[in-house]
């Protein structure tokens, strides 16, 4: 789909992240969206870089991460289509507190700070926008619980549910390293997990195609 013909209003309206937001506010946001295509592994912004825009992911995947003192990249969040990121520069500080990189070819919608500031003058839009930010804060709190309350195997299957939904087969373009980072583990641990899951005949992974054993999700729920 060409960026110039992308329907920003439909994306926002269909996104769970914007549920509860009035159609008027969604239309206002859609009018200031600037489509931007990025390639796989392309940096969108760097930690500490001066920022003038927030973003909405329209298609593809984006990873937010911070650099630890020992050089490790600590994944903060894997962004799904319809979610916002980089919004902190609008309110708290003028620099991005994390880095953002495209995990695959992606389409972003850039929202310049100046245009957002104009929309925030309206009480109704301001209430809706604050609601969006609160939903993201709840996500981050839930992620802390997710990382501390579940083992690596559970986090992997929760990741599949969150990113792709409940299916029997998946086509996954993300690298195993990216998935390991998204579920809060290291590539070596994730590789050992996949080997065990294959030996237990729970999964079959060939190239980009992941197949789950028949009846897997029913057993997982139990």
């Amino acid at each position: 789909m060409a960026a110039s013909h992308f329907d920003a209003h439909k994306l926002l309206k269909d996104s769970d992240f914007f549920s509860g937001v009035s159609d008027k506010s969604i239309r206002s946001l859609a009018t200031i969206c600037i489509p931007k295509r990025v390639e796989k592994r392309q940096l969108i912004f760097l930690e500490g870089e001066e920022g003038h825009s927030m973003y909405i992911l329209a298609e593809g995947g984006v990873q937010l991460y911070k650099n630890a003192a020992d050089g490790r990249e600590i994944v903060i969040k894997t962004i799904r289509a319809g979610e916002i990121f980089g919004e902190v520069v609008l309110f708290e500080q003028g620099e991005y507190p994390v880095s953002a990189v495209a995990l695959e070819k992606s389409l972003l919608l850039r929202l310049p700070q100046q245009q957002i500031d104009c929309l925030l003058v309206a009480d109704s839009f301001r209430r809706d926008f604050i609601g969006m930010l609160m939903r993201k804060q709840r996500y981050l709190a839930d992620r802390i619980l997710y990382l501390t309350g579940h083992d690596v195997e559970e986090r992997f299957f929760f990741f599949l549910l969150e990113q792709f939904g409940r299916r029997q087969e998946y086509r996954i373009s993300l690298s195993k390293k990216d998935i390991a980072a998204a579920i809060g583990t290291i590539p070596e641990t994730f590789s050992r997990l996949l080997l065990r899951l294959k030996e237990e005949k729970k999964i079959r992974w060939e190239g980009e195609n992941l197949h789950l054993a028949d009846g897997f999700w029913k057993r997982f729920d139990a």
Side-chain angles (χ1 to χ4, degrees), residues 23 35 78 110 130 134 190:
D23 191 62
T78 301
R110 185 172 70 86
I130 290 172
M134 292 302 294
F190 186 53

Side-chain angles (χ1 to χ4, degrees), residues 45 48 73 84 109 135 148 151 183 203 206-207 217:
F45 53 75
E73 292 183 356
I84 63 172
L109 303 179
R135 279 190 287 279
T148 57
D151 61 27
I183 64 175
I203 68 169
E206 300 170 345
W217 287 117

Side-chain angles (χ1 to χ4, degrees), residues 13 27 36 53 126 138 167:
K13 188 174 181 179
R27 289 188 181 279
K36 177 180 180 181
S53 301
R126 187 163 59 249
R138 285 195 293 272
R167 304 178 187 175

Side-chain angles (χ1 to χ4, degrees), residues 74-219:
I74 301 173
V75 174
I76 305 300
K77 180 171 172 53
T78 301
I79 302 295
R80 293 183 295 165
E83 289 189 283
I84 63 172
F85 63 101
E87 76 284 354
V88 69
V89 298
L90 305 180
F91 304 104
E92 294 185 7
Q93 58 193 63
E95 299 177 348
Y96 293 112
V98 298
S99 298
V101 63
L103 295 176
E104 54 189 301
K105 286 186 176 182
S106 302
L107 174 61
L108 313 176
L109 303 179
R110 185 172 70 86
L111 291 83
Q113 180 178 5
Q114 187 174 2
Q115 279 78 3
I116 289 284
D117 288 343
C118 292
L119 294 179
L120 287 170
V121 172
D123 290 341
S124 59
F125 181 86
R126 187 163 59 249
R127 285 193 298 269
D128 282 344
F129 196 81
I130 290 172
M132 286 188 283
L133 298 183
M134 292 302 294
R135 279 190 287 279
K136 185 167 183 179
Q137 288 297 93
R138 285 195 293 272
Y139 170 90
L140 294 174
D142 289 344
R143 178 162 174 79
I144 293 173
L145 179 62
Y146 155 86
L147 289 173
T148 57
H150 301 285
D151 61 27
V152 176
E153 179 176 342
E154 291 173 324
R155 298 203 299 266
F156 171 54
F157 291 115
F158 284 139
F159 173 83
L160 292 179
L161 279 173
E162 182 183 60
Q163 297 294 320
F164 308 106
R166 188 177 294 244
R167 304 178 187 175
Q168 193 75 29
E169 297 185 10
Y170 298 86
R171 184 173 180 83
I172 302 176
S173 58
L174 299 178
S175 71
K176 292 179 175 63
K177 178 181 178 182
D178 288 331
I179 296 175
I183 64 175
T185 191
I186 60 175
E188 292 78 10
T189 299
F190 186 53
S191 294
R192 287 194 294 271
L193 169 67
L194 294 180
L195 180 61
R196 177 170 62 79
L197 292 175
K198 291 176 183 177
E199 292 174 345
E200 294 173 354
K201 301 189 183 305
K202 291 182 178 179
I203 68 169
R204 187 174 71 252
W205 200 331
E206 300 170 345
E208 294 186 349
N209 298 310
L210 171 64
H211 179 87
L212 303 186
D214 293 341
F216 172 83
W217 287 117
K218 184 179 292 186
R219 293 193 295 272

